[in-house]
Coordinates of all heavy atoms in Angstrom, one line a residue:
M1 N 109.1 129.0 109.0 CA 110.5 129.1 108.5 C 111.4 128.3 109.1 O 112.2 127.5 108.5 CB 110.9 130.7 108.5 CG 112.2 130.9 107.7 SD 112.0 130.5 106.0 CE 113.8 130.4 105.6
R2 N 111.3 128.3 110.5 CA 112.3 127.5 111.3 C 112.0 126.0 111.0 O 112.9 125.2 111.0 CB 112.0 127.9 112.8 CG 113.0 127.1 113.7 CD 112.8 127.4 115.1 NE 113.3 128.8 115.3 CZ 113.1 129.5 116.5 NH1 112.6 129.0 117.5 NH2 113.7 130.7 116.6
L3 N 110.7 125.7 110.8 CA 110.3 124.3 110.5 C 111.0 123.9 109.2 O 111.4 122.7 109.1 CB 108.8 124.2 110.4 CG 108.3 122.7 110.3 CD1 108.6 122.0 111.5 CD2 106.9 122.8 109.9
L4 N 110.9 124.7 108.2 CA 111.5 124.4 106.9 C 113.1 124.1 107.1 O 113.6 123.2 106.5 CB 111.4 125.7 106.0 CG 110.2 125.5 105.1 CD1 110.1 126.7 104.1 CD2 110.2 124.1 104.4
V5 N 113.7 125.0 107.9 CA 115.2 124.8 108.1 C 115.4 123.5 108.8 O 116.3 122.7 108.4 CB 115.8 125.9 108.9 CG1 117.1 125.6 109.4 CG2 115.6 127.3 108.2
M6 N 114.5 123.1 109.7 CA 114.7 121.8 110.4 C 114.6 120.7 109.5 O 115.3 119.8 109.5 CB 113.6 121.8 111.6 CG 114.2 122.2 112.9 SD 112.8 122.2 114.1 CE 112.4 120.5 114.1
L7 N 113.6 120.8 108.6 CA 113.2 119.7 107.7 C 114.5 119.6 106.7 O 114.9 118.5 106.4 CB 112.0 120.1 106.9 CG 110.7 119.5 107.2 CD1 109.5 120.0 106.4 CD2 110.8 118.0 107.1
A8 N 114.9 120.7 106.2 CA 116.1 120.7 105.3 C 117.3 120.0 105.9 O 118.0 119.2 105.4 CB 116.3 122.1 104.8
T9 N 117.4 120.3 107.2 CA 118.6 119.8 107.9 C 118.4 118.2 108.1 O 119.3 117.5 107.9 CB 118.7 120.4 109.3 OG1 118.6 121.8 109.2 CG2 120.0 120.0 110.0
L10 N 117.2 117.9 108.4 CA 116.9 116.5 108.5 C 117.2 115.7 107.2 O 117.8 114.6 107.2 CB 115.5 116.2 109.0 CG 115.2 116.0 110.5 CD1 113.7 115.9 110.6 CD2 115.9 114.7 110.9
L11 N 116.7 116.3 106.2 CA 116.8 115.7 104.8 C 118.4 115.5 104.4 O 118.7 114.4 104.1 CB 116.1 116.4 103.7 CG 114.6 116.3 103.6 CD1 114.0 117.1 102.6 CD2 114.4 114.8 103.2
L12 N 119.1 116.5 104.8 CA 120.5 116.6 104.4 C 121.2 115.5 105.3 O 122.0 114.7 104.8 CB 121.0 117.9 104.7 CG 121.0 118.9 103.6 CD1 121.6 120.2 104.0 CD2 121.7 118.3 102.3
A13 N 120.8 115.4 106.5 CA 121.4 114.5 107.4 C 121.2 113.1 106.9 O 122.1 112.2 106.9 CB 121.0 114.7 108.9
S14 N 120.0 112.8 106.5 CA 119.6 111.4 106.1 C 120.2 111.2 104.7 O 120.7 109.9 104.6 CB 118.2 111.1 106.1 OG 117.5 111.9 105.2
A15 N 120.4 112.1 103.9 CA 121.1 111.9 102.6 C 122.6 111.5 102.9 O 123.2 110.5 102.3 CB 121.0 113.1 101.8
A16 N 123.2 112.2 103.8 CA 124.6 112.0 104.1 C 124.8 110.6 104.7 O 125.8 110.0 104.7 CB 125.1 113.1 105.0
H17 N 123.7 110.0 105.3 CA 123.9 108.8 106.0 C 123.5 107.7 105.1 O 123.7 106.6 105.5 CB 122.9 108.9 107.2 CG 123.6 108.4 108.5 ND1 124.2 109.1 109.3 CD2 123.7 107.2 109.0 CE1 124.8 108.4 110.3 NE2 124.4 107.2 110.1
A18 N 122.8 107.9 103.9 CA 122.5 106.8 103.1 C 123.7 106.0 102.8 O 124.7 106.5 102.2 CB 121.8 107.3 101.9
A19 N 123.6 104.8 102.9 CA 124.8 103.8 102.6 C 124.9 103.5 101.2 O 123.9 103.5 100.5 CB 124.5 102.5 103.3
D20 N 126.1 103.5 100.8 CA 126.3 103.4 99.3 C 127.1 102.1 98.9 O 128.3 101.9 99.1 CB 127.3 104.6 98.9 CG 127.7 104.6 97.5 OD1 127.4 103.6 96.6 OD2 128.3 105.6 97.0
P21 N 126.4 101.1 98.4 CA 126.9 99.8 98.1 C 128.0 99.8 97.2 O 128.9 99.0 97.3 CB 125.7 99.0 97.7 CG 124.6 99.9 97.4 CD 124.8 101.2 98.1
E22 N 128.1 100.8 96.2 CA 129.1 100.9 95.2 C 130.4 101.3 95.9 O 131.5 100.7 95.6 CB 128.8 101.8 94.2 CG 128.1 101.2 92.9 CD 128.7 99.9 92.4 OE1 129.9 100.1 92.2 OE2 128.0 99.0 92.3
A23 N 130.2 102.3 96.8 CA 131.4 102.6 97.6 C 132.0 101.5 98.5 O 133.2 101.2 98.7 CB 131.1 103.8 98.5
G24 N 130.9 100.7 99.0 CA 131.3 99.5 99.8 C 132.1 98.5 99.0 O 133.1 97.9 99.4
R25 N 131.6 98.2 97.7 CA 132.4 97.3 96.9 C 133.8 97.9 96.6 O 134.6 97.1 96.6 CB 131.6 97.2 95.5 CG 132.2 96.2 94.6 CD 132.0 96.5 93.1 NE 130.5 96.5 92.8 CZ 129.9 95.5 92.4 NH1 130.5 94.3 92.1 NH2 128.6 95.6 92.1
T26 N 134.0 99.1 96.3 CA 135.3 99.6 96.1 C 136.2 99.5 97.3 O 137.3 99.0 97.2 CB 135.2 101.2 95.7 OG1 134.2 101.3 94.6 CG2 136.5 101.7 95.4
L27 N 135.6 99.8 98.3 CA 136.4 99.6 99.7 C 136.7 98.1 99.9 O 137.9 97.8 100.3 CB 135.5 100.1 100.8 CG 136.2 99.9 102.2 CD1 137.4 100.8 102.3 CD2 135.3 100.5 103.3
A28 N 135.7 97.2 99.7 CA 136.0 95.7 99.8 C 137.1 95.3 98.9 O 138.0 94.6 99.3 CB 134.7 95.0 99.5
R29 N 137.1 95.9 97.6 CA 138.2 95.5 96.8 C 139.6 96.0 97.2 O 140.6 95.3 97.1 CB 138.0 96.1 95.3 CG 136.9 95.4 94.5 CD 136.7 96.2 93.2 NE 135.7 95.6 92.5 CZ 134.9 96.1 91.5 NH1 135.1 97.4 91.3 NH2 134.1 95.5 90.8
E30 N 139.5 97.1 97.9 CA 140.8 97.8 98.3 C 141.2 97.1 99.7 O 142.5 96.8 99.8 CB 140.7 99.2 98.5 CG 140.7 100.0 97.2 CD 140.1 101.4 97.4 OE1 139.9 101.8 98.6 OE2 140.0 102.1 96.4
A31 N 140.3 96.8 100.6 CA 140.6 96.6 102.0 C 140.5 95.1 102.3 O 141.0 94.6 103.2 CB 139.9 97.4 103.0
C32 N 139.7 94.3 101.6 CA 139.3 93.0 102.0 C 139.7 92.0 101.1 O 139.8 90.8 101.2 CB 137.8 92.9 102.2 SG 137.1 94.3 103.0
A33 N 140.0 92.3 99.7 CA 140.2 91.3 98.7 C 141.6 90.7 98.8 O 141.8 89.7 98.1 CB 140.1 92.0 97.3
F34 N 142.5 91.1 99.6 CA 143.7 90.5 99.9 C 143.4 89.1 100.4 O 144.1 88.1 100.2 CB 144.5 91.4 100.9 CG 145.8 90.7 101.3 CD1 146.8 90.6 100.4 CD2 146.1 90.3 102.5 CE1 148.1 90.1 100.6 CE2 147.3 89.7 102.9 CZ 148.4 89.6 101.9
C35 N 142.4 88.9 101.3 CA 142.1 87.6 101.8 C 140.7 87.0 101.2 O 140.6 85.9 100.9 CB 141.9 87.8 103.3 SG 143.4 88.3 104.1
H36 N 139.6 88.0 101.1 CA 138.3 87.5 100.8 C 138.2 87.7 99.3 O 138.6 88.6 98.7 CB 137.2 88.4 101.4 CG 137.2 88.3 102.9 ND1 136.3 87.2 103.4 CD2 137.7 88.9 104.0 CE1 136.4 87.3 104.8 NE2 137.2 88.3 105.1
V37 N 137.4 86.6 98.7 CA 136.8 86.9 97.4 C 135.6 87.8 97.7 O 134.8 87.4 98.4 CB 136.4 85.5 96.8 CG1 135.6 85.8 95.5 CG2 137.5 84.6 96.6
V38 N 135.7 89.0 97.2 CA 134.7 89.9 97.5 C 133.6 90.0 96.5 O 132.5 90.7 96.7 CB 135.3 91.4 97.7 CG1 136.3 91.4 98.8 CG2 135.8 92.1 96.5
E39 N 133.8 89.4 95.3 CA 132.5 89.4 94.4 C 132.8 88.1 93.5 O 133.9 87.6 93.4 CB 132.6 90.6 93.5 CG 133.9 90.8 92.7 CD 134.1 92.3 92.3 OE1 133.1 92.9 92.0 OE2 135.4 92.8 92.3
D40 N 131.8 87.6 92.9 CA 131.8 86.4 92.0 C 133.0 86.7 91.0 O 132.9 87.9 90.3 CB 130.6 86.1 91.3 CG 129.5 85.5 92.5 OD1 129.9 84.9 93.4 OD2 128.3 85.8 92.3
G41 N 133.9 85.8 90.9 CA 134.9 85.9 89.8 C 136.1 86.6 90.4 O 137.1 86.8 89.7
G42 N 136.0 87.1 91.5 CA 137.2 87.9 92.2 C 138.2 86.9 92.7 O 137.9 85.8 92.8
S43 N 139.4 87.4 93.0 CA 140.4 86.6 93.5 C 140.6 86.8 95.0 O 140.2 87.8 95.6 CB 141.8 86.9 92.9 OG 142.2 88.3 93.1
G44 N 141.1 85.8 95.6 CA 141.3 85.8 97.2 C 141.7 84.5 97.6 O 142.2 83.7 96.9
S45 N 141.6 84.3 98.9 CA 142.1 83.1 99.4 C 140.9 82.0 99.6 O 140.0 82.3 100.0 CB 142.9 83.2 100.8 OG 142.9 82.0 101.5
D46 N 141.3 80.7 99.3 CA 140.3 79.7 99.4 C 139.9 79.4 100.9 O 138.9 78.9 101.2 CB 140.8 78.3 98.7 CG 140.7 78.5 97.3 OD1 139.9 79.3 96.7 OD2 141.3 77.5 96.7
A47 N 140.9 79.8 101.8 CA 140.9 79.5 103.1 C 139.8 80.4 103.8 O 139.5 80.2 105.0 CB 142.2 79.5 103.8
V48 N 139.4 81.5 103.2 CA 138.7 82.5 103.8 C 137.3 82.5 103.2 O 137.2 82.5 101.9 CB 139.4 83.9 103.6 CG1 138.6 85.0 104.3 CG2 140.8 83.9 104.2
P49 N 136.3 82.7 104.0 CA 135.0 82.7 103.4 C 134.7 83.9 102.3 O 135.2 85.0 102.7 CB 134.0 82.7 104.4 CG 134.8 83.2 105.7 CD 136.1 82.8 105.3
S50 N 134.1 83.6 101.1 CA 134.0 84.8 100.1 C 132.8 85.6 100.7 O 131.8 85.2 101.3 CB 133.7 84.1 98.8 OG 132.3 83.7 98.7
F51 N 132.8 86.9 100.2 CA 131.7 87.8 100.6 C 130.3 87.3 100.1 O 129.4 87.2 100.8 CB 132.1 89.1 100.1 CG 132.9 90.0 101.0 CD1 133.7 89.3 102.0 CD2 132.8 91.4 100.9 CE1 134.5 90.1 102.8 CE2 133.8 92.1 101.7 CZ 134.6 91.4 102.7
P52 N 130.2 86.8 98.8 CA 128.9 86.3 98.4 C 128.5 85.2 99.4 O 127.3 85.1 99.7 CB 129.2 85.8 97.0 CG 130.3 86.7 96.5 CD 131.1 86.9 97.7
A53 N 129.4 84.2 99.8 CA 129.0 83.2 100.7 C 128.6 83.8 102.1 O 127.6 83.3 102.6 CB 130.2 82.2 100.8
I54 N 129.5 84.7 102.5 CA 129.1 85.3 103.8 C 127.7 86.0 103.8 O 126.9 85.8 104.7 CB 130.2 86.4 104.2 CG1 131.5 85.7 104.5 CG2 129.7 87.1 105.4 CD1 132.7 86.7 104.7
A55 N 127.5 86.6 102.7 CA 126.2 87.3 102.6 C 125.1 86.4 102.5 O 124.0 86.6 103.2 CB 126.2 88.4 101.4
R56 N 125.2 85.4 101.7 CA 124.2 84.4 101.6 C 123.8 83.7 102.9 O 122.7 83.5 103.3 CB 124.5 83.4 100.6 CG 124.1 83.6 99.1 CD 124.1 82.4 98.3 NE 125.5 81.8 98.2 CZ 126.4 82.1 97.4 NH1 126.1 83.2 96.5 NH2 127.7 81.7 97.3
E57 N 124.9 83.3 103.6 CA 124.9 82.7 105.0 C 124.2 83.6 106.0 O 123.4 83.2 106.7 CB 126.2 82.4 105.4 CG 126.3 81.6 106.7 CD 126.7 80.2 106.6 OE1 126.7 79.7 105.4 OE2 127.0 79.6 107.6
A58 N 124.6 84.9 105.8 CA 123.9 85.8 106.9 C 122.5 86.2 106.6 O 121.7 86.3 107.6 CB 124.8 87.1 106.9
G59 N 122.1 86.1 105.3 CA 120.7 86.4 104.9 C 120.2 87.6 105.6 O 120.7 88.7 105.4
D60 N 119.1 87.5 106.5 CA 118.6 88.7 107.1 C 119.4 89.2 108.1 O 119.1 90.2 108.7 CB 117.1 88.2 107.6 CG 116.2 88.1 106.5 OD1 116.5 88.5 105.3 OD2 115.1 87.4 106.7
N61 N 120.4 88.5 108.5 CA 121.2 88.9 109.7 C 122.5 89.7 109.4 O 123.5 89.6 110.1 CB 121.7 87.6 110.6 CG 120.4 87.1 111.3 OD1 119.5 87.9 111.6 ND2 120.3 85.8 111.3
I62 N 122.4 90.3 108.2 CA 123.6 91.0 107.7 C 124.1 92.0 108.7 O 125.3 92.2 108.9 CB 123.3 91.6 106.3 CG1 123.3 90.6 105.3 CG2 124.4 92.7 106.0 CD1 123.9 90.7 104.1
E63 N 123.3 92.7 109.4 CA 123.6 93.7 110.3 C 124.6 93.1 111.5 O 125.4 93.8 111.9 CB 122.5 94.3 111.0 CG 121.6 95.1 110.1 CD 122.4 96.5 109.7 OE1 123.1 97.0 110.6 OE2 122.2 96.9 108.6
A64 N 124.5 91.8 111.7 CA 125.2 91.3 112.7 C 126.7 91.2 112.3 O 127.6 91.0 113.2 CB 124.8 89.7 113.0
L65 N 127.0 91.3 111.1 CA 128.3 91.2 110.5 C 129.2 92.4 110.9 O 130.3 92.5 110.9 CB 128.4 91.0 109.0 CG 127.8 89.9 108.5 CD1 127.8 89.9 106.8 CD2 128.4 88.6 109.0
R66 N 128.3 93.5 111.4 CA 129.0 94.7 111.8 C 130.1 94.5 113.0 O 131.1 95.2 113.0 CB 128.0 95.7 112.5 CG 127.4 96.5 111.4 CD 126.4 97.4 112.1 NE 125.5 98.0 111.1 CZ 125.8 99.0 110.3 NH1 126.9 99.7 110.6 NH2 125.0 99.4 109.4
S67 N 129.7 93.6 113.8 CA 130.6 93.2 115.0 C 132.0 93.0 114.5 O 133.1 93.2 115.3 CB 130.2 92.1 115.8 OG 130.1 90.9 114.9
F68 N 132.2 92.5 113.3 CA 133.5 92.1 112.8 C 134.4 93.4 112.6 O 135.6 93.4 112.5 CB 133.5 91.4 111.4 CG 133.4 89.8 111.6 CD1 132.3 89.2 111.9 CD2 134.7 89.2 111.6 CE1 132.3 87.9 112.1 CE2 134.6 87.9 111.8 CZ 133.5 87.2 112.0
T69 N 133.6 94.5 112.5 CA 134.4 95.8 112.2 C 134.8 96.4 113.6 O 135.8 97.2 113.6 CB 133.6 96.8 111.5 OG1 132.4 97.2 112.3 CG2 133.0 96.1 110.2
V70 N 134.2 96.1 114.7 CA 134.5 96.7 116.0 C 135.4 95.8 116.7 O 136.1 96.3 117.6 CB 133.3 97.2 116.7 CG1 132.7 98.4 116.1 CG2 132.4 96.1 116.9
E71 N 135.3 94.6 116.4 CA 136.2 93.6 117.2 C 137.2 92.9 116.3 O 137.0 91.8 115.6 CB 135.4 92.6 117.9 CG 134.7 92.9 119.2 CD 133.8 91.9 119.7 OE1 134.1 90.6 119.5 OE2 132.8 92.2 120.2
P72 N 138.4 93.6 116.1 CA 139.3 93.0 115.2 C 139.8 91.6 115.8 O 139.9 91.5 117.0 CB 140.5 93.9 115.2 CG 140.1 95.0 116.1 CD 138.8 94.7 116.8
H73 N 139.9 90.6 114.9 CA 140.4 89.4 115.3 C 141.7 89.1 114.6 O 142.0 89.8 113.7 CB 139.4 88.2 115.4 CG 138.9 88.0 113.9 ND1 137.7 88.6 113.5 CD2 139.2 87.2 113.0 CE1 137.5 88.1 112.3 NE2 138.4 87.2 111.9
P74 N 142.5 88.2 115.1 CA 143.8 88.0 114.6 C 144.1 88.1 113.2 O 144.9 88.8 112.6 CB 144.4 86.6 115.2 CG 143.5 86.4 116.4 CD 142.2 87.3 116.1
Q75 N 143.1 87.4 112.4 CA 143.4 87.4 110.9 C 142.8 88.6 110.2 O 143.1 88.8 109.0 CB 142.7 86.2 110.3 CG 143.3 84.8 110.6 CD 142.4 84.1 111.6 OE1 141.7 84.7 112.4 NE2 142.3 82.7 111.4
M76 N 142.1 89.4 111.0 CA 141.5 90.6 110.3 C 142.0 91.9 111.1 O 141.3 92.4 111.9 CB 140.0 90.5 110.3 CG 139.6 89.5 109.2 SD 137.9 89.1 109.2 CE 137.2 90.8 108.9
P77 N 143.2 92.4 110.8 CA 143.7 93.4 111.4 C 143.1 94.8 111.0 O 142.4 94.9 110.1 CB 145.2 93.5 111.0 CG 145.2 92.8 109.6 CD 144.0 91.9 109.7
Q78 N 143.4 96.0 111.6 CA 143.1 97.2 111.1 C 141.7 97.5 111.1 O 141.3 98.5 110.3 CB 143.9 97.6 109.9 CG 145.3 97.8 110.1 CD 146.1 97.0 109.2 OE1 145.6 96.5 108.0 NE2 147.4 96.7 109.5
F79 N 140.8 96.8 111.7 CA 139.4 97.0 111.5 C 138.8 98.2 112.1 O 138.0 99.0 111.7 CB 138.5 95.7 111.9 CG 138.1 95.0 110.7 CD1 138.9 95.2 109.5 CD2 137.0 94.2 110.7 CE1 138.5 94.5 108.4 CE2 136.8 93.5 109.6 CZ 137.4 93.8 108.4
A80 N 139.5 98.5 113.2 CA 138.9 99.7 114.0 C 139.3 101.0 113.1 O 138.6 102.1 113.5 CB 139.7 99.9 115.3
D81 N 139.9 100.9 112.1 CA 140.3 102.2 111.4 C 139.1 102.6 110.3 O 139.1 103.6 109.9 CB 141.6 102.0 110.5 CG 142.8 102.0 111.4 OD1 142.7 102.3 112.6 OD2 143.9 101.6 110.8
L82 N 138.2 101.6 110.3 CA 137.1 102.1 109.4 C 136.2 103.0 110.0 O 135.7 102.9 111.1 CB 136.3 100.7 109.0 CG 137.1 99.7 108.2 CD1 136.1 98.5 107.9 CD2 137.5 100.3 106.9
S83 N 135.7 104.1 109.2 CA 134.7 104.9 109.8 C 133.3 104.3 109.8 O 133.0 103.3 109.1 CB 134.7 106.2 108.9 OG 134.0 105.9 107.7
E84 N 132.3 104.9 110.5 CA 131.0 104.4 110.4 C 130.4 104.3 109.1 O 129.7 103.3 108.7 CB 130.2 105.2 111.4 CG 129.0 104.6 111.9 CD 128.2 105.4 112.9 OE1 128.9 106.2 113.7 OE2 127.0 105.4 112.9
T85 N 130.7 105.4 108.3 CA 130.1 105.5 107.0 C 130.6 104.3 106.2 O 130.0 103.6 105.4 CB 130.5 106.8 106.2 OG1 130.3 107.8 107.2 CG2 129.8 106.9 105.0
Q86 N 132.1 104.0 106.3 CA 132.6 103.0 105.5 C 132.1 101.6 105.9 O 131.8 100.8 105.0 CB 134.2 102.8 105.8 CG 134.9 104.0 105.0 CD 136.4 104.0 105.4 OE1 136.8 103.9 106.5 NE2 137.2 104.0 104.4
V87 N 131.8 101.5 107.2 CA 131.1 100.2 107.7 C 129.7 100.1 107.0 O 129.4 99.1 106.5 CB 131.0 100.2 109.1 CG1 130.2 98.8 109.6 CG2 132.5 100.0 109.8
D88 N 129.0 101.2 107.1 CA 127.6 101.3 106.5 C 127.7 100.8 105.0 O 126.9 100.0 104.5 CB 127.0 102.5 106.5 CG 126.5 103.0 107.9 OD1 126.4 102.2 108.8 OD2 126.3 104.1 108.1
N89 N 128.7 101.3 104.3 CA 128.8 101.0 102.9 C 129.1 99.5 102.6 O 128.6 98.9 101.7 CB 129.8 101.8 102.2 CG 129.4 103.3 102.2 OD1 128.2 103.8 102.4 ND2 130.3 104.3 101.9
L90 N 130.0 99.0 103.5 CA 130.4 97.6 103.4 C 129.1 96.7 103.6 O 128.8 95.8 102.9 CB 131.4 97.3 104.4 CG 132.9 97.6 103.9 CD1 133.8 97.4 105.1 CD2 133.4 96.7 102.8
I91 N 128.3 97.0 104.6 CA 127.2 96.3 105.0 C 126.1 96.4 103.8 O 125.4 95.5 103.3 CB 126.5 96.8 106.2 CG1 127.5 96.6 107.5 CG2 125.2 96.1 106.6 CD1 127.7 95.1 107.9
A92 N 126.1 97.5 103.3 CA 125.1 97.8 102.1 C 125.6 97.0 100.9 O 124.8 96.4 100.3 CB 125.1 99.2 101.7
Y93 N 126.9 96.9 100.7 CA 127.5 96.1 99.7 C 127.2 94.5 99.8 O 126.6 93.9 99.0 CB 128.9 96.3 99.4 CG 129.6 95.3 98.4 CD1 128.9 95.2 97.2 CD2 130.6 94.5 98.8 CE1 129.6 94.4 96.2 CE2 131.1 93.5 97.9 CZ 130.6 93.5 96.6 OH 131.1 92.6 95.7
M94 N 127.4 94.2 101.2 CA 127.1 92.8 101.4 C 125.5 92.4 101.2 O 125.3 91.4 100.7 CB 127.3 92.6 103.0 CG 128.7 92.6 103.4 SD 129.5 91.0 103.3 CE 131.0 91.2 104.1
R95 N 124.7 93.4 101.6 CA 123.3 93.2 101.4 C 123.0 93.0 99.9 O 122.2 92.2 99.5 CB 122.5 94.4 102.1 CG 121.0 94.1 102.0 CD 120.3 95.1 102.7 NE 120.3 95.0 104.1 CZ 120.8 96.0 105.0 NH1 121.2 97.0 104.6 NH2 120.9 95.6 106.3
S96 N 123.6 93.9 99.1 CA 123.4 93.8 97.6 C 123.8 92.4 97.1 O 123.2 92.1 96.0 CB 124.1 95.0 97.0 OG 125.5 94.6 96.8
L97 N 124.7 91.8 97.8 CA 125.0 90.5 97.2 C 124.0 89.4 97.4 O 123.9 88.4 96.8 CB 126.4 89.9 97.9 CG 127.6 90.8 97.5 CD1 128.8 90.3 98.4 CD2 128.0 90.6 96.1
T98 N 123.0 89.6 98.4 CA 122.0 88.6 98.7 C 120.8 88.9 97.8 O 119.8 88.1 97.7 CB 121.6 88.7 100.1 OG1 120.8 89.9 100.3 CG2 122.7 88.7 101.1
E99 N 120.7 90.0 97.0 CA 119.5 90.3 96.2 C 119.7 89.7 94.9 O 120.8 89.3 94.4 CB 119.4 91.8 96.1 CG 118.8 92.3 97.4 CD 119.1 93.8 97.6 OE1 119.7 94.5 96.6 OE2 118.9 94.4 98.6
Ligands
HEC1 C1 144.2 89.4 106.5 C2 143.1 88.6 105.9 C3 141.7 89.2 105.9 C4 141.3 90.5 105.5 C5 142.2 91.6 104.9 C6 139.9 90.6 105.8 N1 139.4 89.4 106.3 FE1 137.5 89.0 106.9 N2 138.1 87.1 107.4 C7 139.3 86.6 107.4 C8 139.3 85.3 107.9 C9 140.4 84.3 107.9 C10 137.9 85.1 108.3 C11 137.5 83.8 108.9 C12 137.5 84.0 110.4 C13 136.8 83.0 111.2 O1 136.0 82.2 110.6 O2 137.1 83.0 112.4 C14 137.2 86.2 108.0 C15 135.9 86.4 108.3 C16 135.2 87.5 108.0 C17 133.7 87.8 108.3 C18 132.8 86.7 109.0 C19 132.4 85.7 108.1 C20 131.4 84.8 108.8 O3 131.3 83.5 108.3 O4 130.7 85.2 109.7 C21 133.3 89.0 107.8 C22 132.0 89.7 107.8 C23 134.5 89.5 107.3 N3 135.6 88.7 107.3 C24 134.6 90.8 106.7 C25 135.7 91.4 106.2 C26 135.7 92.8 105.6 C27 134.5 93.7 105.6 C28 137.0 93.0 105.3 C29 137.6 94.2 104.6 C30 137.3 95.5 105.3 C31 137.8 91.8 105.6 N4 137.0 90.9 106.2 C32 139.2 91.7 105.5 C33 140.5 87.3 106.9 C34 140.5 88.6 106.4

């Protein structure tokens, strides 16, 4: 019985942790589209790399983009405000752009 409870807890924890690319896209539209083109056909600034371009460039190294969320730089304010889940979702969305 105790094992079952442990298993259920584990399953729930991993489900809660599964990154959601759709939520990432929504967040990108809200938080990033002011500067970045976050999807093909989206609007943004020509001076800023688009998400599809960033994702293609990163390829298998998408995880490395996480550092942008913990180290805000001048042009990208308020990054520390994102929760870990939001970052997971953004990364999942970026990854979906490379597929
Ligand atoms: C105020 C404008 C602005 C906003 C808002 C913004 N960015 Fe950026 N971002 C930039 C600029 C400018 C660069 C290019 C910086 C550089 O190359 O040094 C950049 C670069 C990046 C890069 C690195 C690109 C690369 O080539 O490695 C990532 C990843 C990124 N942004 C993600 C995001 C995410 C995710 C959001 C939304 C949560 C966001 N940005 C919101 C301006 C912005």
Side-chain angles (χ1 to χ4, degrees):
M1 190 59 196
R2 182 173 292 173
L3 187 67
L4 267 182
V5 171
M6 270 173 60
L7 262 178
T9 312
L10 263 178
L11 276 176
L12 275 177
S14 61
H17 229 87
D20 179 352
E22 270 309 309
R25 183 206 300 266
T26 305
L27 178 61
R29 284 178 179 153
E30 286 165 5
C32 320
F34 179 66
C35 302
H36 291 271
V37 173
V38 302
E39 56 201 326
D40 286 331
S43 61
S45 162
D46 284 345
V48 181
S50 75
F51 277 16
I54 291 172
R56 270 195 302 275
E57 184 108 338
D60 291 338
N61 291 322
I62 288 223
E63 289 294 321
L65 300 177
R66 271 176 200 280
S67 60
F68 269 84
T69 67
V70 288
E71 274 175 42
H73 56 274
Q75 291 110 323
M76 290 172 60
Q78 286 125 22
F79 255 20
D81 288 349
L82 295 177
S83 73
E84 199 177 326
T85 308
Q86 286 177 312
V87 174
D88 284 345
N89 293 344
L90 277 170
I91 296 290
Y93 172 55
M94 291 269 198
R95 184 173 286 120
S96 77
L97 292 175
T98 67
E99 285 160 2

